[in-house]
Amino acid sequence: MMYCLKCQDWISQPVTWSTLFLPNEQTQLCDSCQSQLKRIAGTICERCGRQMPNETMCEDCNKWQSNKKYRDTLLFNRSLFQYTPFMQEVITQWKYRGDYQLKDIFSPYIKKEIRNFYPTKSFTIVPIPLTNERLHDRAFNQAIAIAEIIAHHHKNPVIHALSRNVSHSEKQSKKSRQQRITTKNPFFLTKSLETDVLLVDDIYTTGMTIHHAAKLLQEAGCAHIYSFTLVR
Amino acid sequence: MNFSKFLAGKLLLTSELPLTKPTIDYLFRTNQSKQLPSITTKYGRHQCNRCGNRNQQLFADIPCARCDHPHLYCRNCIQTGRVLQCDILIVWNGSKPAWPLQTQPCHWTGTLTPPQQKAADAIEQTIEYKQKELLIWAVCGSGKTEMLFPAITKAITESKRICIATPRADVVRELFPRLKQAFPDTEIEALYADSPDRTDKGQLIISTTHQLIRYQEAFDVMIIDEIDAFPFHHDKTLAYLTTRACKKDATSIYLTATPRPEHKQKISHKKLPVQFVPIRFHGQPLPIPQLKIEINLRKKLQKGTESKALQQFLTTRPESRQLLIFVPKIPLLKKVAERYQAIAVHAEDPDRKEKVEQFRQKKIDILVTTTILERGVTFPSVDVVILDAGHHVFDEAALVQIAGRAGRSPDDPGGNVLFIHQGKTNAMEDAIAQIKMMNKKGKKL
Ligand SMILES: [Zn+2]
Ligand SMILES: [Zn+2]
Ligand SMILES: [Zn+2]
């Protein structure tokens, strides 16, 4: 007998693998929660990995590509899950309530998919940092948790090359879209790095966070910068 | 500053304490507060001292960035805040809180019916003689909130602290304004997740059971609403929290319309004192369910073909009433609703509140639902039908509760209750026997 990681219902029967894109490991979810995890599948925006009705570049990426400073800074992003209300709940429970263990839900998917996403195997993993204050509140950084899962399964090194300024700690969601675009880069480099890089975070919303981080690494001399988020 | 009102009877994580570090240190130094470890380990088994969890599967490891060590946290109580092993729990060790003296705290001007008054007296005496517990077995629609007023009045005049605990946040939200109106000079708090009416200094607290996690030896009087709806048998945490929130010599009052078998057994063995309120506040008897057998009913429901018994009922029912149809499973909702031009609603329905409200405003004639509407919701004038009343989700308590939706208004105390089934079950017989027993008791009054 075991509990569903998300809803803590008993999982009484062996989990059945009815959905198409499931990897062959235990995600430790009950059938009901499992069926609500929605993978990104079919046609996607080739830059940010968002699920699209047809093969076009999404609006966010059009904006980044038409920006002289940020164009081609990030080669592309790939994500595993769609941002459904269920995924929103999972992320809330994991990140904001601080239920660290929920990382195990994602682990088998990360193990299976990372290799298919990127043209190179020799990248350094750089997690997006939190401010010290927020790190203290949460007691863990969700991006580091994801980075460590990738490192564990694929043996890439994790380098904490970035830090985050305190003054930019206010919640992004409180700002308008325009404000977010013009926000100053909140990150600074703490280590020199010139390898290919995989930036890692939990959610890709407008791409702002990832692009800011990518810009710094590009200027530092990293040639190819990719990113991975759980959710797009 | 006097912290006793804020801290007495509480058990708080540092993050839940709205005080600065120097203030907390001062309270420890002056021995007004004590600290307990949050998670303890004995013989290799962990226990969360906040929620009482001892299920080892509900402890997990976290590489803690606060203390730079990997250690445990409790997953059992994480919905009300995370317990890290490196955190502490803070309890009050100072003077007792002095609640304002009131001689006439109750401003309610209504009157109780004789059966309500009898129950009110019994509750008051149980508290007065500091007896351990009393169960009030009151039929659906008996007006139980008002019955509590005399006892609450008495407790307030004696500077006691009172808690009304209920499994559902809806009930907390509904009771709060009514109690504030009845006891305008008493500090009252409403506690549920994200409640705006949390003051941390209530003498009278209306709370969901989960929120009692922040209390320890706080209450002189604990009133537990819908004791049968508590998932006590699934989840030991809620029983543990309710007991821990009580002072050692506290009195507990249980309210129910449909006691669980274990309570009934205690009653019949005279181990649990009971007071019946067998009649509704309007004085009319409960509608008795009619049984109607239908061959191949389950097959018909499954296929979405029509139920003859329901069809027959629809042609004869009075048009002035609305109709509530209960089905055992969510997949049947849509099939039934489509056939009878009705609206379907279930527990996880995002539009649940709106649909129920529309039905209340009579914008919808027929509402098809699962057992979620079996308790709590009151519509003045409805007929009630259960399709497949023999299904196991309809146990005795559920059937009594569902039948109790009909005839709530003094203007229309009748109401039809029809159980359509394909084979009579014990639950149906027991439910009808229970309703008849209450009506018989009611007649004798
Ligand atoms: Zn895109
Ligand atoms: Zn706990
Ligand atoms: Zn710690």
Side-chain angles (χ1 to χ4, degrees), chain A residues 23-46:
Chain A
N24 287 323
E25 271 95 350
Q26 286 278 10
T27 53
Q28 303 181 43
L29 290 178
C30 68
D31 282 0
S32 162
C33 286
Q34 182 76 59
S35 70
Q36 290 181 75
L37 269 187
K38 290 279 179 288
R39 287 288 308 274
I40 291 173
T43 49
I44 57 170
C45 166
E46 61 171 37

Side-chain angles (χ1 to χ4, degrees), chain B residues 4-75:
Chain B
S4 66
K5 263 182 206 167
F6 291 96
L7 295 178
K10 300 266 178 70
L11 181 72
L12 299 173
L13 292 165
T14 24
S15 57
E16 292 172 330
L17 203 58
L19 299 175
T20 58
K21 180 101 178 44
T23 313
I24 297 174
D25 287 342
Y26 162 78
L27 291 175
F28 285 142
R29 224 175 28 247
T30 52
N31 209 19
Q32 293 187 79
S33 276
K34 284 194 298 187
Q35 51 172 294
L36 299 174
S38 56
I39 295 173
T40 40
T41 305
K42 238 187 206 166
Y43 307 115
R45 294 182 63 78
H46 313 301
Q47 174 173 333
C48 172
N49 294 321
R50 183 166 182 258
C51 70
N53 172 38
R54 289 184 204 197
N55 182 337
Q56 303 302 300
Q57 283 194 68
L58 292 176
F59 291 98
D61 288 313
I62 180 170
C64 180
R66 280 191 206 172
C67 65
D68 252 334
H69 285 284
H71 58 62
L72 298 170
Y73 71 101
C74 176
R75 300 192 69 233

Side-chain angles (χ1 to χ4, degrees), chain A residues 1-6 8 10 93 97-102 135-140, chain B residues 55 57-66 73 75-76 78-82 84 194:
Chain A
M1 291 283 263
M2 60 182 276
Y3 287 106
C4 170
L5 264 182
K6 164 72 175 48
Q8 299 195 359
W10 287 106
Q93 191 177 331
R97 294 203 190 282
D99 198 353
Y100 178 74
Q101 194 74 37
L102 292 192
L135 182 61
H136 183 269
D137 281 350
R138 292 193 188 150
F140 73 93
Chain B
N55 182 337
Q57 283 194 68
L58 292 176
F59 291 98
D61 288 313
I62 180 170
C64 180
R66 280 191 206 172
Y73 71 101
R75 300 192 69 233
N76 188 51
I78 200 153
Q79 294 302 332
T80 49
R82 181 183 54 192
L84 294 170
D194 304 321

Side-chain angles (χ1 to χ4, degrees), chain A residues 86-185:
Chain A
F86 176 78
M87 186 49 84
Q88 210 168 340
E89 272 177 45
V90 174
I91 297 285
T92 301
Q93 191 177 331
W94 186 43
K95 205 161 87 168
Y96 301 114
R97 294 203 190 282
D99 198 353
Y100 178 74
Q101 194 74 37
L102 292 192
K103 71 178 174 56
D104 288 355
I105 293 174
F106 313 119
S107 183
Y109 295 94
I110 293 172
K111 181 183 177 191
K112 185 173 176 223
E113 299 297 344
I114 286 288
R115 280 282 171 261
N116 306 329
F117 281 159
Y118 306 100
T120 169
K121 285 182 182 178
S122 58
F123 47 70
T124 304
I125 306 170
V126 178
I128 297 291
L130 296 173
T131 62
N132 286 339
E133 186 192 4
R134 188 145 296 161
L135 182 61
H136 183 269
D137 281 350
R138 292 193 188 150
F140 73 93
N141 175 349
Q142 71 281 357
I144 296 178
I146 301 166
E148 279 169 358
I149 296 171
I150 302 172
H152 172 79
H153 290 305
H154 302 287
K155 313 295 173 217
N156 299 73
V158 178
I159 305 262
H160 301 277
L162 298 170
S163 256
R164 196 170 192 140
N165 277 315
V166 180
S167 54
H168 293 274
S169 65
E170 64 235 66
K171 273 195 179 162
Q172 285 229 346
S173 52
K174 282 187 189 154
K175 295 181 197 165
S176 74
R177 196 186 171 92
Q178 196 49 45
Q179 272 176 306
R180 270 190 250 168
I181 300 291
T182 55
T183 307
K184 244 183 79 191
N185 196 328

